[in-house]
């Protein structure tokens, strides 16, 4: 197995003691070497190290217990606490991601190869679910752009399609999910190349728990959480807008772009405010989830009510 699982690996095991004792002070010091994920002694893979990224918000982290026990992962049940209870049937090692479609270098890569493509970074991102709750999560991942550059998209490629594993044996509750499986998602290529878009392999200093999308999932913090497709097995470059699970399920409620937009309500509830998990009072939702300065340019000239 590549990375020790959270059950036998604590944040204190993988984090410099000073950081563990006084995380805030360490962050303020702006040190580059943030920590390292330890590997079992039998593993022949190099140990993972990650540094703190400047793509980070300075907001109170959502407790790890909430991040890992209040989830959406319909393949393991539609209740918020079900993924944590049932996703232990997911086999995450060995694992390969198949890169194909309109690329010059189609390839299958295991997780060890993917995390060698670019240095791993810890990025604290806001996470806004379309259901109007939000969290602040310290992800560990690498830029999606670095991975896509390695497979070398062909000039005609315009979109990136993602697919989750679907194995009814490992995901027996999937048949009650009410959505077509495998779960699929898509981005425009320029969105996928944006520096904020990452492939995450960990959170809170540890490899991803299964319920959060182990061993590798997408994180696009300016979009609603459902774009963050989990347990990815396939990434395909294409010239056509790829199908997206929630858009297929209910196109009136969920569009392709799914950018966080407080001015465009969900047909059944407002998107103007959100409940930050762990907080009593609602807060205002920010355009593009607070990342407008960085991403609004991707959509200049587009009517965001039409392209929701
Ligand atoms: N990916 C798969 N394969 N299956 C899912 O049901 N749910 C999505 C997204 N990715 C989902 C998925 C939704 S609706 C959200 S809000 C986020 O995962 C939740 O991520 P989290 O559980 O890590 O907070």
């Amino acid at each position: 197995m590549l990375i020790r699982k959270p059950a036998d690996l604590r944040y204190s095991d993988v984090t410099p003691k000073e950081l563990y004792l006084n995380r805030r002070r360490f962050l303020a010091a702006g040190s580059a070497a943030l920590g390292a994920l330890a590997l079992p002694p039998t593993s022949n893979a190099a140990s993972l190290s990650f540094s703190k990224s400047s793509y980070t918000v300075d907001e109170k982290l959502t407790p790890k217990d909430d991040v890992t026990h209040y989830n959406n992962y319909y393949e393991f049940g539609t209740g918020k606490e079900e993924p944590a209870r049932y996703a232990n049937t997911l086999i995450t090692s060995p694992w390969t991601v198949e890169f194909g479609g309109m690329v010059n270098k189609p390839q299958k890569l295991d997780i060890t190869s993917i995390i060698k493509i670019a240095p791993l970074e810890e990025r604290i991102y806001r996470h806004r679910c379309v259901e109007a709750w939000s969290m602040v999560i310290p992800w560990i991942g690498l830029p999606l752009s670095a991975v896509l550059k390695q497979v070398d998209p062909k000039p005609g490629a315009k979109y990136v399609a993602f697919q989750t594993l679907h194995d009814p044996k490992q995901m027996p509750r999937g048949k009650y999910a009410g959505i077509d499986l495998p779960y699929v998602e898509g981005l425009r290529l320029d969105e996928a190349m944006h520096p904020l878009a990452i492939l995450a392999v960990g959170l809170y200093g540890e490899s991803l728990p299964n319920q959060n999308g182990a061993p590798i999932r997408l994180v696009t913090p300016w979009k609603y959480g459902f774009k963050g497709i989990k347990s990815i097995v396939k990434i395909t470059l294409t010239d056509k807008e790829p199908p997206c699970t929630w858009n297929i399920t209910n196109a009136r409620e969920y569009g392709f772009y799914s950018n966080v937009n407080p001015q465009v309500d969900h047909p059944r509830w407002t998107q103007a405010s959100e409940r930050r998990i762990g907080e009593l009072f609602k807060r205002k939702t920010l355009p593009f989830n607070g990342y407008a300065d960085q991403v609004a340019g991707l959509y200049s000239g587009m009517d965001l009510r039409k392209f929701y």
Side-chain angles (χ1 to χ4, degrees), residues 67 70-75 127 129 133 135 137 139 164 179 183 211-212 217 225-226 228-230 246:
V67 174
Y70 192 82
N71 299 105
N72 279 325
Y73 198 162
Y74 275 44
E75 290 88 330
H127 179 65
C129 180
W133 50 266
M135 297 190 186
I137 303 178
W139 300 107
T164 295
I179 54 176
Y183 197 98
Q211 62 267 31
N212 292 89
R217 56 95 52 89
F226 65 83
I229 181 170
K230 298 178 168 181
W246 286 104

Side-chain angles (χ1 to χ4, degrees), residues 126 128 191 196 220-224 257-262 285-300 304:
R126 296 183 205 97
R128 170 62 158 79
E191 298 179 308
L196 282 172
T220 46
W222 71 98
K223 293 180 177 283
Y224 292 116
Y257 284 92
S258 314
N259 292 317
V260 175
N261 190 343
T285 289
L286 302 170
F288 298 105
N289 203 21
Y291 297 97
D293 286 355
Q294 292 156 78
V295 300
L298 291 170
Y299 311 100
S300 56
L304 297 178

Side-chain angles (χ1 to χ4, degrees), residues 56-68:
T56 270
V57 295
D58 187 14
E59 290 179 27
K60 187 169 173 273
L61 300 183
T62 301
K64 183 180 164 197
D65 200 51
D66 292 329
V67 174
T68 58

Side-chain angles (χ1 to χ4, degrees), residues 6-306:
D8 53 331
L9 181 71
R10 283 149 33 97
Y11 197 42
S12 54
D13 292 336
V14 297
T15 308
K17 203 167 177 196
E18 186 198 12
L19 172 57
Y20 183 61
L21 295 175
N22 191 342
R23 186 183 164 77
R24 287 282 135 217
R25 180 160 59 88
F26 188 89
L27 289 179
S31 171
L34 188 70
L37 282 169
L39 291 159
T42 49
S43 167
N44 50 18
S47 81
L48 294 177
S49 58
F50 53 93
S51 59
K52 181 171 164 46
S53 163
S54 54
Y55 291 105
T56 270
V57 295
D58 187 14
E59 290 179 27
K60 187 169 173 273
L61 300 183
T62 301
K64 183 180 164 197
D65 200 51
D66 292 329
V67 174
T68 58
H69 289 81
Y70 192 82
N71 299 105
N72 279 325
Y73 198 162
Y74 275 44
E75 290 88 330
F76 297 105
T78 54
K80 293 281 179 277
E81 282 148 36
E82 286 184 302
R85 203 176 308 143
Y86 299 122
N88 57 339
T89 53
L90 178 68
I91 300 164
T92 59
S93 177
W95 191 278
T96 51
V97 183
E98 186 182 343
F99 295 86
M102 299 177 72
V103 296
N104 289 316
K105 297 178 187 158
Q107 51 199 293
K108 280 186 183 172
L109 295 174
D110 62 18
I111 301 298
T112 314
S113 312
I114 293 173
I115 61 177
K116 280 186 190 149
I117 292 174
L120 290 180
E121 298 169 22
E122 185 184 66
R123 297 185 174 201
I124 300 170
Y125 278 167
R126 296 183 205 97
H127 179 65
R128 170 62 158 79
C129 180
V130 76
E131 297 159 352
W133 50 266
S134 65
M135 297 190 186
V136 177
I137 303 178
W139 300 107
I140 295 169
L142 70 165
L144 174 58
S145 63
V147 179
L148 293 177
K149 276 180 201 150
Q150 165 145 332
V151 298
D152 194 9
K154 290 188 172 167
K158 297 246 165 357
Y159 297 92
V160 187
F162 302 84
Q163 188 177 312
T164 295
L165 173 79
H166 183 48
D167 177 353
K169 280 206 202 83
Q170 295 180 54
M171 302 162 155
R173 280 169 187 77
K175 58 178 177 288
Y176 311 115
I179 54 176
D180 290 345
L181 298 176
Y183 197 98
V184 289
E185 257 306 337
L187 296 172
R188 230 170 46 195
L189 182 56
D190 59 340
E191 298 179 308
M193 297 301 284
H194 192 279
L196 282 172
I198 59 168
L199 289 174
V201 295
L203 59 79
Y204 262 106
E206 302 173 347
S207 55
L208 281 179
N210 287 0
Q211 62 267 31
N212 292 89
I216 189 159
R217 56 95 52 89
L218 177 69
V219 180
T220 46
W222 71 98
K223 293 180 177 283
Y224 292 116
F226 65 83
K227 295 300 273 188
I229 181 170
K230 298 178 168 181
S231 310
I232 298 168
V233 289
K234 211 171 183 182
I235 298 183
T236 309
L237 280 285
T238 159
D239 56 359
K240 292 183 189 60
E241 189 178 282
C244 303
T245 290
W246 286 104
N247 181 245
I248 297 168
T249 309
N250 190 339
R252 201 173 79 85
E253 298 192 355
Y254 310 104
F256 171 78
Y257 284 92
S258 314
N259 292 317
V260 175
N261 190 343
Q263 288 173 355
V264 177
D265 285 338
H266 185 279
R268 290 183 281 137
W269 58 81
T270 175
Q271 294 292 22
S273 62
E274 66 199 54
R275 191 173 71 85
R276 179 75 46 96
I277 298 298
E279 288 181 0
L280 204 54
F281 298 106
K282 287 199 168 179
R283 22 166 101 218
K284 271 190 175 170
T285 289
L286 302 170
F288 298 105
N289 203 21
Y291 297 97
D293 286 355
Q294 292 156 78
V295 300
L298 291 170
Y299 311 100
S300 56
M302 285 174 66
D303 177 353
L304 297 178
R305 287 187 179 276
K306 189 168 164 222

